[in-house]
Amino acid sequence: MTQIARRSTDKEHRAVPWFGIMWIGLTLALSVTYCWSARRQLGVYSPVIPAELESPVLRAYLKSEEAAAKPPLFDSSFAEYLKKGLSYYIDAYDGGKPYHYKDSSYPHRHANSTLPPWFKKVFPLNKHITPEKQTCFAHVGKAGGSSIGCMLGFLLHCGDDEKTNFQSVPSLLAATTAHSFHREVYDCSDTAANYLFVIRNPLARALSAFNYAKPDLSEKHPFSKKYKDKEIYVDCDFWTLNDLAERGLVKGNNGASDECKIRAKKALLGTENNLVHWYFNYQFYYEMVSPDANIIVIRNEHIVDDWNEVETLLGGDADLTEESLPVNNQYEKKPEEIYLSDTAKVVLCKTLCNEIQVYKTILKRAQNIKKKQYIQSMQELMTSCPKEALEESCADDMPDISLKVEKAKGELIY
């Protein structure tokens, strides 16, 4: 009897480790499930790649390891000091003389040249913001850059009366953005901490740029002295982008001469200076910065979110709201000016393919654009240019614009 009892007790003791292991396994499984659920709710898990966005290059990009989080450029006490100082100047501004910052590189690049007035800022640069801590504003035309430029303190299209329409936003981004480049005028330090790009959907930008450059024939001098806009609008009779696409880019005999077809494609590629903001395109602005430059981005479609993200990256507060956004350099458009047929969209997107790839590259390189935001922009791009949103190469080679870049950047001589 004693032996039977002892044998039974031994079996119970031998069963305990197995029961413990099962209990530990169940606990771990529940913990993992809970943590995964919590990460999903917090939005910190790796986003699922939509099937329609899958491509080998994009999958590799989205599944790559996140870059190690960098500390803010400025510590909290200095950030608060900068913001308070800027708030003082903004509150005291009375439309007085604006500032050209003394450390401008432009006079050293282009002898006997002066910066245009829209490169001035309405408040001085803090002496502690040395070139290696400055942000350079890459003002891409017709991408929403005028509104952002006004928020940064540049004298752009900020209203008819600069005094009553003052639009600077007290922020680290405004305080540390010292210089800018726009079109052929480059006034940035090559050692700048960041290059700020304001970008928008390439097709939407192309449409806006076309309407912006359209000459008003009622004016005394309707045509540009620098750009051959007359060749597009008057000589080729392309008065809407839809017309340029359907007659100028579609193959066949559709009412446009061979010369006008060539002219339309070159203008859209940025290899012919017919329209100012087509000529100075994403490729131009991207190639103007060094290959290892830090890029930060504000997407025209998500200004508040991206501004706040950049502000946090610098060490500031995410306190910008939709209500505080200025809207500048806009005019009421006619229905025919914004209409694009399905045929027009296809040929425009095909011609803009390389421009779209550069747009995607800028987003990928942006320090403040995370995986989820990149997917968001690709989904938005797919509504207008689905084929080009997915592809990583184009039928046409990337244009060689090295001479245009060299001319705009000049030779830095001290």
Side-chain angles (χ1 to χ4, degrees):
M1 189 74 178
T2 305
Q3 289 180 344
I4 294 173
R6 185 180 296 113
R7 190 178 299 120
S8 175
T9 304
D10 290 344
K11 287 181 178 180
E12 289 174 4
H13 281 297
R14 285 198 297 271
V16 169
W18 289 105
F19 176 77
I21 291 171
M22 291 174 63
W23 176 256
I24 292 171
L26 178 61
T27 304
L28 286 173
L30 290 173
S31 298
V32 169
T33 302
Y34 172 79
C35 291
W36 176 247
S37 175
R39 285 172 65 81
R40 286 181 65 90
Q41 293 175 11
L42 291 171
V44 297
Y45 71 106
S46 296
V48 176
I49 305 171
E52 67 272 18
L53 283 179
E54 288 203 354
S55 72
V57 176
L58 182 56
R59 281 201 302 269
Y61 167 71
L62 293 176
K63 291 182 178 179
S64 63
E65 291 293 325
E66 290 280 1
K70 295 182 179 180
L73 190 61
F74 302 98
D75 62 42
S76 57
S77 59
F78 187 64
E80 185 179 357
Y81 156 75
L82 281 177
K83 193 169 181 179
K84 282 184 177 179
L86 182 55
S87 296
Y88 167 80
Y89 274 101
I90 290 175
D91 293 341
Y93 181 71
D94 60 357
K97 186 178 179 180
Y99 298 84
H100 263 159
Y101 292 163
K102 294 180 180 179
D103 61 346
S104 168
S105 68
Y106 187 72
H108 303 285
R109 297 180 185 275
H110 303 278
N112 303 318
S113 297
T114 56
L115 280 170
W118 27 275
F119 276 76
K120 295 179 180 179
K121 293 194 73 172
V122 295
F123 47 79
L125 178 68
N126 185 287
K127 64 181 181 181
H128 297 293
I129 307 300
T130 52
E132 64 275 8
K133 289 188 176 294
Q134 294 175 5
T135 294
C136 167
F137 175 36
H139 182 184
V140 181
K142 308 317 298 174
S146 293
S147 295
I148 299 300
C150 291
M151 293 166 67
L152 296 172
F154 288 101
L155 287 181
L156 297 170
H157 312 277
C158 304
D160 296 329
D161 183 348
E162 295 291 350
K163 181 176 179 178
T164 58
N165 289 280
F166 186 63
Q167 296 170 340
S168 291
V169 174
S171 59
L172 277 187
L173 190 54
T176 59
T177 302
H179 300 287
S180 172
F181 74 93
H182 182 54
R183 302 188 329 211
E184 71 275 20
V185 182
Y186 183 85
D187 182 39
C188 288
S189 167
D190 290 335
T191 61
N194 297 297
Y195 285 81
L196 170 64
F197 281 73
V198 180
I199 62 177
R200 77 190 288 191
N201 180 305
L203 182 59
R205 194 189 86 86
L207 177 62
S208 180
F210 181 90
N211 291 326
Y212 174 81
K214 186 184 300 182
D216 183 351
L217 298 182
S218 66
E219 295 180 353
K220 187 176 181 179
H221 302 289
F223 303 112
S224 169
K225 294 181 180 179
K226 283 186 176 182
Y227 306 100
K228 297 179 284 188
D229 51 354
K230 180 177 178 292
E231 292 184 351
I232 292 290
Y233 298 100
V234 177
D235 297 349
C236 290
D237 198 28
F238 297 141
W239 287 98
T240 66
L241 184 57
N242 190 76
D243 194 34
L244 180 145
E246 292 189 343
R247 294 198 300 117
L249 298 178
V250 175
K251 294 180 180 179
N253 184 13
N254 43 21
S257 66
D258 290 343
E259 182 180 358
C260 284
K261 286 179 179 293
I262 293 171
R263 191 176 291 166
K265 183 171 183 178
K266 285 186 174 181
L268 201 55
L269 291 175
T271 56
E272 194 71 32
N273 63 339
N274 297 99
L275 276 69
V276 55
H277 293 307
W278 281 6
Y279 187 61
F280 296 109
N281 55 10
Y282 285 133
Q283 183 191 0
F284 169 77
Y285 287 93
Y286 182 69
E287 292 191 17
M288 285 288 285
V289 306
S290 64
D292 59 348
N294 285 330
I295 291 176
I296 50 180
V297 159
I298 292 177
R299 296 167 294 167
N300 179 277
E301 300 85 358
H302 306 280
I303 291 177
V304 171
D305 290 343
D306 291 351
W307 176 286
N308 285 332
E309 188 73 31
V310 169
E311 190 70 8
T312 303
L313 195 68
L314 296 176
D317 299 320
D319 53 11
L320 184 69
T321 63
E322 292 284 350
E323 293 72 26
S324 58
L325 285 180
V327 178
N328 300 294
N329 205 18
Q330 290 191 348
Y331 67 94
E332 187 175 350
K333 299 165 184 70
K334 300 175 182 177
E336 63 269 20
E337 289 182 314
I338 58 176
Y339 170 74
L340 292 175
S341 68
D342 290 341
T343 299
K345 288 179 182 178
V346 169
V347 293
L348 285 167
C349 290
K350 181 179 179 181
T351 309
L352 287 168
C353 179
N354 280 310
E355 183 75 345
I356 291 170
Q357 303 313 314
V358 176
Y359 165 81
K360 289 156 67 174
T361 299
I362 293 172
L363 281 170
K364 288 178 184 179
R365 281 191 55 187
Q367 302 288 311
N368 62 303
I369 298 298
K370 305 296 189 296
K371 295 177 182 179
K372 190 182 295 186
Q373 295 160 314
Y374 181 85
I375 291 177
Q376 179 185 45
S377 290
M378 290 304 100
Q379 289 173 328
E380 292 165 352
L381 181 59
M382 285 190 68
T383 63
S384 55
C385 299
K387 188 171 183 287
E388 291 71 22
L390 296 175
E391 292 182 344
E392 302 291 337
S393 60
C394 305
D396 296 323
D397 292 334
M398 187 73 70
D400 181 0
I401 62 167
S402 54
L403 292 178
K404 178 166 59 173
V405 170
E406 288 175 13
K407 182 179 179 181
K409 206 160 188 180
E411 185 178 358
L412 189 57
I413 301 174
Y414 282 95

Short mmCIF file of all heavy atoms in Angstrom, two decimals, residues 78-118:
data_model
loop_
_atom_site.label_atom_id
_atom_site.label_comp_id
_atom_site.label_asym_id
_atom_site.label_seq_id
_atom_site.Cartn_x
_atom_site.Cartn_y
_atom_site.Cartn_z
N PHE A 78 16.63 75.67 -25.85
CA PHE A 78 17.01 76.55 -26.96
C PHE A 78 15.86 76.71 -27.93
O PHE A 78 15.65 77.79 -28.50
CB PHE A 78 18.24 75.99 -27.68
CG PHE A 78 18.80 76.93 -28.73
CD1 PHE A 78 19.33 78.16 -28.36
CD2 PHE A 78 18.80 76.57 -30.06
CE1 PHE A 78 19.83 79.02 -29.31
CE2 PHE A 78 19.31 77.43 -31.03
CZ PHE A 78 19.83 78.65 -30.65
N ALA A 79 15.08 75.64 -28.13
CA ALA A 79 13.93 75.71 -29.01
C ALA A 79 12.91 76.73 -28.49
O ALA A 79 12.36 77.53 -29.25
CB ALA A 79 13.28 74.33 -29.14
N GLU A 80 12.69 76.71 -27.18
CA GLU A 80 11.75 77.67 -26.58
C GLU A 80 12.28 79.09 -26.70
O GLU A 80 11.52 80.02 -26.98
CB GLU A 80 11.53 77.30 -25.11
CG GLU A 80 10.49 78.16 -24.43
CD GLU A 80 10.25 77.77 -22.98
OE1 GLU A 80 10.88 76.78 -22.54
OE2 GLU A 80 9.46 78.44 -22.31
N TYR A 81 13.59 79.26 -26.53
CA TYR A 81 14.22 80.58 -26.66
C TYR A 81 14.04 81.13 -28.08
O TYR A 81 13.67 82.29 -28.28
CB TYR A 81 15.71 80.45 -26.31
CG TYR A 81 16.61 81.51 -26.89
CD1 TYR A 81 16.65 82.80 -26.39
CD2 TYR A 81 17.47 81.20 -27.96
CE1 TYR A 81 17.48 83.77 -26.93
CE2 TYR A 81 18.31 82.15 -28.50
CZ TYR A 81 18.31 83.44 -27.99
OH TYR A 81 19.14 84.38 -28.53
N LEU A 82 14.26 80.28 -29.08
CA LEU A 82 14.11 80.70 -30.48
C LEU A 82 12.67 81.09 -30.79
O LEU A 82 12.40 82.11 -31.44
CB LEU A 82 14.55 79.58 -31.42
CG LEU A 82 16.04 79.39 -31.65
CD1 LEU A 82 16.27 78.19 -32.56
CD2 LEU A 82 16.68 80.63 -32.26
N LYS A 83 11.74 80.29 -30.33
CA LYS A 83 10.34 80.53 -30.64
C LYS A 83 9.84 81.81 -29.97
O LYS A 83 9.08 82.57 -30.57
CB LYS A 83 9.51 79.33 -30.19
CG LYS A 83 8.10 79.32 -30.74
CD LYS A 83 7.42 78.00 -30.47
CE LYS A 83 6.00 77.98 -31.04
NZ LYS A 83 5.34 76.68 -30.81
N LYS A 84 10.27 82.05 -28.74
CA LYS A 84 9.87 83.29 -28.05
C LYS A 84 10.44 84.51 -28.76
O LYS A 84 9.76 85.52 -28.92
CB LYS A 84 10.35 83.25 -26.59
CG LYS A 84 9.49 82.38 -25.68
CD LYS A 84 9.95 82.48 -24.24
CE LYS A 84 9.04 81.67 -23.32
NZ LYS A 84 9.50 81.73 -21.90
N GLY A 85 11.70 84.41 -29.19
CA GLY A 85 12.32 85.52 -29.90
C GLY A 85 11.61 85.82 -31.21
O GLY A 85 11.37 86.98 -31.56
N LEU A 86 11.23 84.77 -31.92
CA LEU A 86 10.52 84.95 -33.18
C LEU A 86 9.13 85.54 -32.95
O LEU A 86 8.69 86.42 -33.71
CB LEU A 86 10.41 83.61 -33.92
CG LEU A 86 9.73 83.63 -35.29
CD1 LEU A 86 10.41 84.64 -36.21
CD2 LEU A 86 9.74 82.25 -35.92
N SER A 87 8.46 85.08 -31.91
CA SER A 87 7.14 85.62 -31.58
C SER A 87 7.22 87.12 -31.32
O SER A 87 6.32 87.88 -31.70
CB SER A 87 6.56 84.90 -30.36
OG SER A 87 6.34 83.53 -30.63
N TYR A 88 8.31 87.55 -30.68
CA TYR A 88 8.50 88.99 -30.40
C TYR A 88 8.57 89.78 -31.70
O TYR A 88 7.91 90.81 -31.85
CB TYR A 88 9.77 89.19 -29.58
CG TYR A 88 10.21 90.63 -29.51
CD1 TYR A 88 9.60 91.52 -28.62
CD2 TYR A 88 11.22 91.11 -30.34
CE1 TYR A 88 9.99 92.85 -28.58
CE2 TYR A 88 11.62 92.43 -30.30
CZ TYR A 88 10.99 93.31 -29.42
OH TYR A 88 11.38 94.62 -29.38
N TYR A 89 9.37 89.30 -32.65
CA TYR A 89 9.51 90.01 -33.92
C TYR A 89 8.21 90.02 -34.72
O TYR A 89 7.85 91.01 -35.37
CB TYR A 89 10.63 89.39 -34.76
CG TYR A 89 11.99 89.95 -34.43
CD1 TYR A 89 12.87 89.23 -33.63
CD2 TYR A 89 12.41 91.20 -34.89
CE1 TYR A 89 14.11 89.73 -33.30
CE2 TYR A 89 13.64 91.71 -34.57
CZ TYR A 89 14.51 90.97 -33.78
OH TYR A 89 15.74 91.49 -33.46
N ILE A 90 7.49 88.90 -34.68
CA ILE A 90 6.23 88.82 -35.42
C ILE A 90 5.21 89.79 -34.83
O ILE A 90 4.51 90.51 -35.56
CB ILE A 90 5.69 87.38 -35.40
CG1 ILE A 90 6.59 86.49 -36.27
CG2 ILE A 90 4.25 87.31 -35.88
CD1 ILE A 90 6.23 85.02 -36.24
N ASP A 91 5.12 89.85 -33.50
CA ASP A 91 4.17 90.75 -32.85
C ASP A 91 4.53 92.22 -33.10
O ASP A 91 3.64 93.07 -33.19
CB ASP A 91 4.12 90.48 -31.35
CG ASP A 91 3.51 89.12 -31.03
OD1 ASP A 91 2.82 88.57 -31.90
OD2 ASP A 91 3.75 88.60 -29.92
N ALA A 92 5.83 92.49 -33.19
CA ALA A 92 6.28 93.88 -33.35
C ALA A 92 6.36 94.33 -34.80
O ALA A 92 6.58 95.51 -35.07
CB ALA A 92 7.65 94.04 -32.69
N TYR A 93 6.18 93.41 -35.74
CA TYR A 93 6.36 93.74 -37.16
C TYR A 93 5.33 94.77 -37.62
O TYR A 93 4.14 94.62 -37.40
CB TYR A 93 6.25 92.48 -38.01
CG TYR A 93 6.46 92.74 -39.49
CD1 TYR A 93 7.73 93.06 -39.97
CD2 TYR A 93 5.41 92.67 -40.40
CE1 TYR A 93 7.94 93.29 -41.31
CE2 TYR A 93 5.61 92.90 -41.74
CZ TYR A 93 6.88 93.22 -42.21
OH TYR A 93 7.07 93.45 -43.54
N ASP A 94 5.80 95.82 -38.26
CA ASP A 94 4.91 96.89 -38.71
C ASP A 94 5.08 97.20 -40.19
O ASP A 94 4.79 98.30 -40.65
CB ASP A 94 5.15 98.16 -37.88
CG ASP A 94 6.59 98.67 -38.01
OD1 ASP A 94 7.40 98.00 -38.70
OD2 ASP A 94 6.90 99.74 -37.45
N GLY A 95 5.55 96.20 -40.94
CA GLY A 95 5.74 96.43 -42.36
C GLY A 95 7.04 97.13 -42.68
O GLY A 95 7.20 97.69 -43.77
N GLY A 96 8.00 97.10 -41.76
CA GLY A 96 9.27 97.78 -41.96
C GLY A 96 10.17 97.07 -42.95
O GLY A 96 9.78 96.12 -43.63
N LYS A 97 11.41 97.51 -43.00
CA LYS A 97 12.37 96.99 -43.97
C LYS A 97 12.67 95.52 -43.69
O LYS A 97 13.04 95.14 -42.59
CB LYS A 97 13.66 97.80 -43.89
CG LYS A 97 14.68 97.43 -44.95
CD LYS A 97 15.91 98.32 -44.85
CE LYS A 97 16.95 97.92 -45.91
NZ LYS A 97 18.16 98.77 -45.83
N PRO A 98 12.52 94.67 -44.70
CA PRO A 98 12.82 93.24 -44.51
C PRO A 98 14.33 92.98 -44.55
O PRO A 98 15.13 93.88 -44.83
CB PRO A 98 12.12 92.57 -45.69
CG PRO A 98 12.11 93.63 -46.75
CD PRO A 98 11.97 94.94 -46.02
N TYR A 99 14.71 91.76 -44.29
CA TYR A 99 16.11 91.40 -44.12
C TYR A 99 16.61 90.50 -45.25
O TYR A 99 15.95 89.54 -45.63
CB TYR A 99 16.30 90.66 -42.78
CG TYR A 99 15.96 91.48 -41.56
CD1 TYR A 99 14.66 91.56 -41.12
CD2 TYR A 99 16.94 92.16 -40.86
CE1 TYR A 99 14.32 92.30 -40.00
CE2 TYR A 99 16.63 92.90 -39.72
CZ TYR A 99 15.31 92.97 -39.31
OH TYR A 99 14.99 93.71 -38.20
N HIS A 100 17.79 90.84 -45.75
CA HIS A 100 18.57 89.89 -46.54
C HIS A 100 19.67 89.38 -45.60
O HIS A 100 20.46 90.16 -45.08
CB HIS A 100 19.22 90.58 -47.75
CG HIS A 100 18.45 90.42 -49.00
ND1 HIS A 100 18.59 91.26 -50.08
CD2 HIS A 100 17.52 89.51 -49.38
CE1 HIS A 100 17.78 90.89 -51.06
NE2 HIS A 100 17.13 89.84 -50.66
N TYR A 101 19.69 88.09 -45.37
CA TYR A 101 20.66 87.58 -44.41
C TYR A 101 22.08 87.71 -44.94
O TYR A 101 22.36 87.46 -46.12
CB TYR A 101 20.34 86.12 -44.08
CG TYR A 101 19.06 85.96 -43.30
CD1 TYR A 101 18.42 84.73 -43.21
CD2 TYR A 101 18.49 87.04 -42.64
CE1 TYR A 101 17.24 84.58 -42.48
CE2 TYR A 101 17.31 86.89 -41.91
CZ TYR A 101 16.70 85.68 -41.83
OH TYR A 101 15.54 85.55 -41.11
N LYS A 102 22.99 88.11 -44.04
CA LYS A 102 24.35 88.46 -44.44
C LYS A 102 25.17 87.27 -44.92
O LYS A 102 26.14 87.46 -45.65
CB LYS A 102 25.06 89.15 -43.27
CG LYS A 102 24.45 90.50 -42.91
CD LYS A 102 25.19 91.15 -41.74
CE LYS A 102 24.57 92.49 -41.38
NZ LYS A 102 25.27 93.11 -40.23
N ASP A 103 24.80 86.06 -44.51
CA ASP A 103 25.61 84.91 -44.92
C ASP A 103 25.10 84.30 -46.23
O ASP A 103 25.31 83.13 -46.51
CB ASP A 103 25.65 83.85 -43.82
CG ASP A 103 24.26 83.31 -43.49
OD1 ASP A 103 23.27 83.94 -43.92
OD2 ASP A 103 24.17 82.28 -42.81
N SER A 104 24.46 85.11 -47.06
CA SER A 104 23.96 84.65 -48.35
C SER A 104 25.12 84.19 -49.23
O SER A 104 26.17 84.83 -49.30
CB SER A 104 23.19 85.78 -49.05
OG SER A 104 22.94 85.44 -50.39
N SER A 105 24.90 83.08 -49.93
CA SER A 105 25.93 82.57 -50.84
C SER A 105 25.74 83.08 -52.26
O SER A 105 26.62 82.95 -53.10
CB SER A 105 25.90 81.03 -50.85
OG SER A 105 24.70 80.57 -51.46
N TYR A 106 24.58 83.70 -52.54
CA TYR A 106 24.27 84.07 -53.93
C TYR A 106 25.28 85.04 -54.54
O TYR A 106 25.71 84.82 -55.68
CB TYR A 106 22.85 84.65 -53.98
CG TYR A 106 22.37 84.91 -55.39
CD1 TYR A 106 22.03 83.86 -56.24
CD2 TYR A 106 22.27 86.21 -55.89
CE1 TYR A 106 21.60 84.08 -57.53
CE2 TYR A 106 21.83 86.45 -57.17
CZ TYR A 106 21.50 85.38 -58.00
OH TYR A 106 21.07 85.62 -59.28
N PRO A 107 25.68 86.11 -53.85
CA PRO A 107 26.67 87.02 -54.46
C PRO A 107 28.00 86.34 -54.77
O PRO A 107 28.74 86.79 -55.65
CB PRO A 107 26.84 88.10 -53.39
CG PRO A 107 25.63 88.03 -52.54
CD PRO A 107 25.26 86.58 -52.52
N HIS A 108 28.30 85.25 -54.05
CA HIS A 108 29.55 84.54 -54.29
C HIS A 108 29.41 83.51 -55.42
O HIS A 108 30.40 82.95 -55.87
CB HIS A 108 30.00 83.84 -53.00
CG HIS A 108 30.18 84.77 -51.85
ND1 HIS A 108 31.26 85.63 -51.73
CD2 HIS A 108 29.40 85.01 -50.76
CE1 HIS A 108 31.14 86.35 -50.63
NE2 HIS A 108 30.02 85.98 -50.01
N ARG A 109 28.20 83.28 -55.84
CA ARG A 109 27.96 82.36 -56.96
C ARG A 109 27.77 83.11 -58.27
O ARG A 109 28.14 82.62 -59.33
CB ARG A 109 26.71 81.50 -56.68
CG ARG A 109 26.84 80.59 -55.47
CD ARG A 109 25.57 79.78 -55.25
NE ARG A 109 25.63 78.98 -54.03
CZ ARG A 109 26.18 77.79 -53.95
NH1 ARG A 109 26.74 77.25 -55.03
NH2 ARG A 109 26.20 77.12 -52.81
N HIS A 110 27.14 84.26 -58.18
CA HIS A 110 26.83 85.04 -59.39
C HIS A 110 27.29 86.49 -59.16
O HIS A 110 26.59 87.26 -58.51
CB HIS A 110 25.34 84.99 -59.69
CG HIS A 110 24.81 83.60 -59.86
ND1 HIS A 110 24.92 82.90 -61.04
CD2 HIS A 110 24.18 82.76 -58.98
CE1 HIS A 110 24.37 81.69 -60.90
NE2 HIS A 110 23.92 81.59 -59.66
N ALA A 111 28.45 86.80 -59.67
CA ALA A 111 29.02 88.15 -59.48
C ALA A 111 28.11 89.20 -60.11
O ALA A 111 27.47 88.96 -61.15
CB ALA A 111 30.41 88.21 -60.10
N ASN A 112 28.05 90.36 -59.46
CA ASN A 112 27.28 91.50 -59.95
C ASN A 112 25.78 91.20 -60.06
O ASN A 112 25.07 91.81 -60.87
CB ASN A 112 27.80 91.96 -61.32
CG ASN A 112 29.27 92.33 -61.28
OD1 ASN A 112 29.75 92.97 -60.34
ND2 ASN A 112 30.03 91.91 -62.30
N SER A 113 25.31 90.26 -59.25
CA SER A 113 23.88 89.94 -59.23
C SER A 113 23.33 90.17 -57.83
O SER A 113 24.04 90.03 -56.84
CB SER A 113 23.65 88.47 -59.62
OG SER A 113 24.07 88.23 -60.94
N THR A 114 22.08 90.57 -57.77
CA THR A 114 21.42 90.79 -56.47
C THR A 114 20.22 89.87 -56.34
O THR A 114 19.58 89.50 -57.34
CB THR A 114 20.95 92.25 -56.33
OG1 THR A 114 20.08 92.57 -57.43
CG2 THR A 114 22.14 93.21 -56.34
N LEU A 115 19.92 89.51 -55.13
CA LEU A 115 18.79 88.64 -54.88
C LEU A 115 17.46 89.37 -55.12
O LEU A 115 17.33 90.55 -54.80
CB LEU A 115 18.81 88.14 -53.44
CG LEU A 115 19.75 86.98 -53.11
CD1 LEU A 115 19.83 86.80 -51.60
CD2 LEU A 115 19.29 85.69 -53.78
N PRO A 116 16.48 88.70 -55.70
CA PRO A 116 15.14 89.30 -55.84
C PRO A 116 14.55 89.59 -54.47
O PRO A 116 14.92 88.97 -53.47
CB PRO A 116 14.35 88.21 -56.57
CG PRO A 116 15.37 87.33 -57.20
CD PRO A 116 16.57 87.36 -56.29
N PRO A 117 13.60 90.51 -54.39
CA PRO A 117 13.02 90.88 -53.09
C PRO A 117 12.31 89.73 -52.39
O PRO A 117 12.21 89.71 -51.17
CB PRO A 117 12.03 92.00 -53.45
CG PRO A 117 11.78 91.86 -54.92
CD PRO A 117 13.05 91.33 -55.49
N TRP A 118 11.82 88.74 -53.14
CA TRP A 118 11.09 87.65 -52.50
C TRP A 118 12.01 86.66 -51.79
O TRP A 118 11.53 85.67 -51.25
CB TRP A 118 10.17 86.92 -53.48
CG TRP A 118 10.56 86.95 -54.92
CD1 TRP A 118 10.27 87.92 -55.81
CD2 TRP A 118 11.31 85.95 -55.62
NE1 TRP A 118 10.80 87.60 -57.05
CE2 TRP A 118 11.43 86.40 -56.97
CE3 TRP A 118 11.88 84.74 -55.28
CZ2 TRP A 118 12.11 85.68 -57.95
CZ3 TRP A 118 12.55 84.02 -56.25
CH2 TRP A 118 12.65 84.50 -57.56
#
